[in-house]
Amino acid sequence: TALAHAVPGVINAFLLLTIVMCIYAILAVEFFINVGQDCHEVDAHLAPSHRGHCFGDEYFGSFSKSLYSFFQVLTGESWSEAIARPVLWAHADPWLAIGSAVFFVSFVLITAFVLTNVVVAVLLDKMVEHTDASEMEELSLEKEHFSQETTSIEGLSNHLMSIENQIRQLTTASRDMRVDLDGTKQ
């Protein structure tokens, strides 16, 4: 139930992540579509990809190709060797190579480290919020039950026995936690 309540917030965080990926994909089409365009020439700086296509067109030739390439970068799957390094090696001007490196590193920092953690944080926050609401509801039900039981001596006796059982459970849990802590320290 808590996971179901977290879905709207997670969808919003994923939407933000998708928008950032789309912005970078559009920029990459503009910046890198011509990278290695002479790959089939004899004196080419950048050889064709393993599939025989020129690098810029294969990875950044359209919005959809570029978006998929940035999804590969987001997942961390061979992005540096397969996508970023060929772009860096294709530039003869060192400033363009540095700019390209900053472009890819900024994408990784923003998406993989910041926005992915935002998704996880929203998920956890919504789940904890739902858990707290459930506990409050349970507590109010116990209070109502207690007020009904205390009208009689028998009800009070039952309530004291219930508290005693809870104390036993807490003592057992505390002892188990100390054993686990001691085991962890060792």
Side-chain angles (χ1 to χ4, degrees):
T1 305
L3 190 59
H5 286 284
V7 168
V10 171
I11 288 174
N12 289 338
F14 269 122
L15 183 63
L16 180 63
L17 179 63
T18 303
I19 290 170
V20 170
M21 284 180 61
C22 289
I23 291 169
Y24 270 88
I26 291 168
L27 289 172
V29 170
E30 292 296 318
F31 293 154
F32 306 130
I33 192 169
N34 296 325
V35 169
Q37 68 183 359
D38 61 346
C39 68
H40 297 294
E41 304 289 325
V42 176
D43 59 343
H45 290 284
L46 191 62
S49 69
H50 295 294
R51 288 163 294 284
H53 301 288
C54 291
F55 180 81
D57 184 52
E58 182 174 351
Y59 289 100
F60 305 107
S62 66
F63 172 73
S64 59
K65 290 178 181 178
S66 184
L67 187 62
Y68 185 76
S69 296
F70 277 98
F71 179 74
Q72 179 180 349
V73 173
L74 174 68
T75 61
E77 190 264 320
S78 168
W79 71 272
S80 180
E81 197 63 36
I83 295 177
R85 286 186 192 271
V87 170
L88 299 178
W89 292 330
H91 295 297
D93 183 10
W95 289 107
L96 288 176
I98 290 171
S100 298
V102 168
F103 182 79
F104 283 106
V105 169
S106 69
F107 177 79
V108 170
L109 290 175
I110 291 170
T111 58
F113 295 122
V114 176
L115 292 178
T116 304
N117 286 325
V118 166
V119 170
V120 172
V122 167
L123 179 66
L124 291 175
D125 183 53
K126 295 295 182 179
M127 289 179 71
V128 167
E129 181 180 296
H130 178 72
T131 304
D132 289 345
S134 297
E135 287 176 358
M136 292 299 287
E137 184 179 315
E138 189 177 302
L139 186 60
S140 69
L141 288 173
E142 283 181 14
K143 235 185 222 183
E144 182 181 312
H145 183 67
F146 174 72
S147 66
Q148 290 172 356
E149 280 186 349
T150 55
T151 57
S152 68
I153 298 293
E154 186 176 300
L156 185 58
S157 174
N158 288 338
H159 188 68
L160 287 173
M161 288 176 55
S162 171
I163 291 174
E164 187 178 5
N165 286 335
Q166 289 176 357
I167 290 172
R168 279 192 206 116
Q169 290 174 349
L170 288 172
T171 304
T172 303
S174 175
R175 185 176 52 240
D176 291 345
M177 289 173 58
R178 277 196 197 108
V179 168
D180 286 345
L181 181 63
D182 291 342
T184 303
K185 286 180 181 177
Q186 289 178 359

